[in-house]
């Protein structure tokens, strides 16, 4: 009876105090809290979207304790015209990045392939290792997306920076793979061809996937295309304009300019092959992410190796040979010697020929517009015409014995004859009567 009364009246004061203390105590953590913290400290998440939020979006998750990286690339179009989307990892250009390209498979999903290209051409999947696993794909009239995981292997982290942000590129095209492309009746095939990207459907950004947390992608302060154009312009000046002027002055203008030809020649060769080309090399190499080999990154390997050899080997060698030729020059020499003068000539000619190849290969690698090839061919033609005019107007001028400059076309035979005539003249002048008696 007492228990019933007490219960009806409510809990006793000590019991109320106990209940109050229990309410004030902090709740125990859930069972998986420790696991959640541990996972977060090893997971780097990166996100990026174009300003319109529709053209391209990326979400990347990198497990810092394993090589696993998961990417989700998405593109949307209200008109339903989007046909493919591509992500490039670890490079500012198509030829330096690891490319992944997705298009609709015709069944509401997506086909994904890893591809490579050597320049501004459609990337191909043939012979390219496919180091990913397609997790999910979606395609409809307004959206195309693909989620894939890089294989957990040593090569899986290829292209990703070990520290700091990684450079990514993206592209979106409106020409879908399918029956309209030769040899690709089944869009489930991974090697289908695709059309060129939209005029404004490409870009680049940098994203940090090396530290825990969520990171937003940042567009570069200078677009990679701007750096490539600056590199090409500087190299054109360094090897296509200034050396041409320097060679023309040394070949044809010794008499016309006096000692000024030498000053012009030295200025052009120092400012061009030595200084501007080194600056151009630094500009383009600044695009490479940390850990990527310099000068020998493939594809584009021939251009890179040739350019590095010109800047780091040929240009310094030519500068030294020019200095040696000037130091060895004597006013009474009968002919131009092979060492070091003619070696200097032929190394220079070989370097300019190699620079022409490097220029053309560079335009191919970096996808120059066709008009640039036409313009460069026109420039080479104009240079050829200029040297023909110089040959007709001035001839080839060498400094050999006869007290000044000597003009000839074939080189040594005429120079030797001039030297013999000069020696005869000196002998006559040394006679007491100045050679008048024999005259």
């Amino acid at each position: 009876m007492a228990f019933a009364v007490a219960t009806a009246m409510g809990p006793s004061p000590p019991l109320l105090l106990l209940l109050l203390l229990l309410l004030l105590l902090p709740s125990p953590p859930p069972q998986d809290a420790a696991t959640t913290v541990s996972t977060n400290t090893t997971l780097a998440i990166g996100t990026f979207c174009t300003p319109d939020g529709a053209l391209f979006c990326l979400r990347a998750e990198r497990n810092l304790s394993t090589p696993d990286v998961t990417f989700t690339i998405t593109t949307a179009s209200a008109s339903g015209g989007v046909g493919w989307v591509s992500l490039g990892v670890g490079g500012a250009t198509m030829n330096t990045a690891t490319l992944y390209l997705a298009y609709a498979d015709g069944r509401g999903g997506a086909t994904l392939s890893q591809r490579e290209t050597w320049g501004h051409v459609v990337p191909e999947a043939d012979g390219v290792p496919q180091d990913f696993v397609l997790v999910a794909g979606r395609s409809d009239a307004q959206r195309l997306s693909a989620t894939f995981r890089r294989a957990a292997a040593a090569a899986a982290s290829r292209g990703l920076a070990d520290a700091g942000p990684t450079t990514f590129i993206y592209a979106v095209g409106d020409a879908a793979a399918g029956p309209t492309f030769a040899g690709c009746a089944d869009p489930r095939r991974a090697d289908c061809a695709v059309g060129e990207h939209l005029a404004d459907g490409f870009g680049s950004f940098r994203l940090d996937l090396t530290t825990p947390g969520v990171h937003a992608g940042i567009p570069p302060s200078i677009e990679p295309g701007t750096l490539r154009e600056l590199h090409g312009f500087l190299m054109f000046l360094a090897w296509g304009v200034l050396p041409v002027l320097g060679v023309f002055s040394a070949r044809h203008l010794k008499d016309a300019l006096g000692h000024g030809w030498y000053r012009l020649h030295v200025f052009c060769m120092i400012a061009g092959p030595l200084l501007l080309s080194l600056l151009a090399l630094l500009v383009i190499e600044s695009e490479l992410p940390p850990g990527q080999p310099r000068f020998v990154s493939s594809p584009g390997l021939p251009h890179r190796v040739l350019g590095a050899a010109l800047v780091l080997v040929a240009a310094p060698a030519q500068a030294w040979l020019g200095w040696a030729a000037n130091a060895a020059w004597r006013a009474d020499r009968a002919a131009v010697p092979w060492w070091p003068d003619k070696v200097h000539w032929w190394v220079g000619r070989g370097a300019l020929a190699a620079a022409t190849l490097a220029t053309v290969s560079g335009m191919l690698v970096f996808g120059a517009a066709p008009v640039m090839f036409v313009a460069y061919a026109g420039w080479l033609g104009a240079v050829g015409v200029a040297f023909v005019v110089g040959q007709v107007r001035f001839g080839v001028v060498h400094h050999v014995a006869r007290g000044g400059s000597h003009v000839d076309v074939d080189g040594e035979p005429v120079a030797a004859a001039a030297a013999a005539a000069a020696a005869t003249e000196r002998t006559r002048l040394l006679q007491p009567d100045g050679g008048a008696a024999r005259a």
Side-chain angles (χ1 to χ4, degrees):
M1 181 67 180
F3 174 78
V5 173
T7 303
M9 294 177 61
S12 63
L15 185 58
L16 287 174
L17 181 60
L18 179 60
L19 290 174
L20 181 61
L21 290 175
L22 290 174
L23 290 174
L24 293 177
L25 290 175
S27 304
Q31 289 288 345
D32 59 345
T35 304
T36 302
V37 173
S38 175
T39 302
N40 287 341
T41 59
T42 60
L43 188 65
I45 300 175
T47 61
F48 173 81
C49 280
T50 51
D52 61 3
L55 179 65
F56 176 84
C57 282
L58 167 71
R59 177 181 173 87
E61 296 184 4
R62 184 180 190 180
N63 190 332
L64 300 178
S65 63
T66 71
D68 290 347
V69 187
T70 301
F71 298 102
T72 298
I73 52 178
T74 305
T75 183
S77 171
S79 64
V82 170
W84 60 268
V85 59
S86 179
L87 174 71
V89 181
T93 60
M94 290 197 302
N95 65 299
T96 59
T98 302
L99 302 177
Y100 299 91
L101 189 144
Y103 45 80
D105 65 359
R107 291 169 170 78
T111 299
L112 181 74
S113 60
Q114 184 174 331
R115 302 194 174 201
E116 289 182 354
T117 182
W118 56 267
H120 194 60
V121 295
V122 176
E124 296 182 354
D126 293 344
V128 180
Q130 305 295 305
D131 67 351
F132 68 89
V133 175
L134 180 62
V135 177
R138 172 191 169 187
S139 59
D140 54 37
Q142 282 77 38
R143 183 178 299 275
L144 170 64
S145 67
T147 299
F148 60 98
R149 183 173 63 252
R150 296 277 286 267
S157 60
R158 181 176 56 175
L160 291 175
D162 295 326
T166 296
T167 299
F168 293 84
I169 58 175
Y170 67 89
V172 177
D174 60 359
T180 57
F181 292 90
C184 191
D186 184 0
R188 292 176 298 177
R189 288 175 46 178
D191 59 349
C192 290
V194 295
E196 189 175 358
H197 57 67
L198 299 169
D200 57 352
F202 66 98
S204 66
F205 57 94
R206 295 172 68 82
L207 191 60
D208 188 359
L209 293 176
T210 62
T211 56
V214 180
H215 309 277
I218 303 174
S221 56
I222 301 179
E223 285 293 332
T226 303
L227 293 178
R228 294 194 298 273
E229 291 166 2
L230 178 60
H231 168 81
F233 177 70
L234 291 175
M235 281 299 196
F236 175 66
L237 289 179
W239 290 96
V241 177
L242 291 173
V244 169
L245 183 57
V247 170
F248 191 90
S249 68
R251 183 178 176 86
H252 300 301
L253 302 181
K254 288 187 175 76
D255 281 342
L257 297 182
H259 192 60
W261 80 267
Y262 181 74
R263 296 190 181 96
L264 179 60
H265 180 78
V266 171
F267 169 79
C268 289
M269 296 307 182
I270 291 179
L274 279 179
L275 298 182
L276 284 182
S277 63
L278 181 60
L279 178 60
L281 193 66
L282 294 175
V283 164
I284 201 64
E285 289 297 320
S286 69
E287 284 192 338
L288 294 180
Q292 187 166 348
R294 307 222 174 246
F295 311 129
V296 293
S297 299
S298 179
L301 180 62
H303 175 71
R304 290 178 176 273
V305 172
L306 191 56
L310 284 169
V311 176
L312 303 178
V313 179
Q318 270 296 84
W320 183 86
L321 286 170
W323 172 85
N326 182 67
W329 180 79
R330 296 292 181 269
D332 60 348
R333 65 183 185 176
V336 179
W338 266 100
W339 178 262
D341 296 63
K342 290 189 177 181
V343 174
H344 181 55
W345 298 355
W346 284 102
V347 171
R349 291 165 182 169
L352 290 180
T356 302
L357 294 177
T359 301
V360 173
S361 65
M363 290 193 293
L364 289 171
V365 167
F366 294 115
V371 67
M372 298 303 297
F373 289 90
V374 175
Y376 185 61
W379 170 253
L380 293 179
V383 169
V385 170
F387 274 90
V388 170
V389 172
Q391 187 74 20
V392 174
R393 174 66 178 82
F394 303 105
V396 181
V397 183
H398 297 310
H399 277 163
V400 292
R402 72 181 176 93
S405 299
H406 177 67
V407 181
D408 74 336
V409 175
D410 299 322
E412 290 185 351
V414 179
T424 301
E425 180 67 10
R426 285 195 300 271
T427 301
R428 186 185 68 79
L429 293 175
L430 289 174
Q431 295 178 0
D433 59 356
R438 298 192 178 199

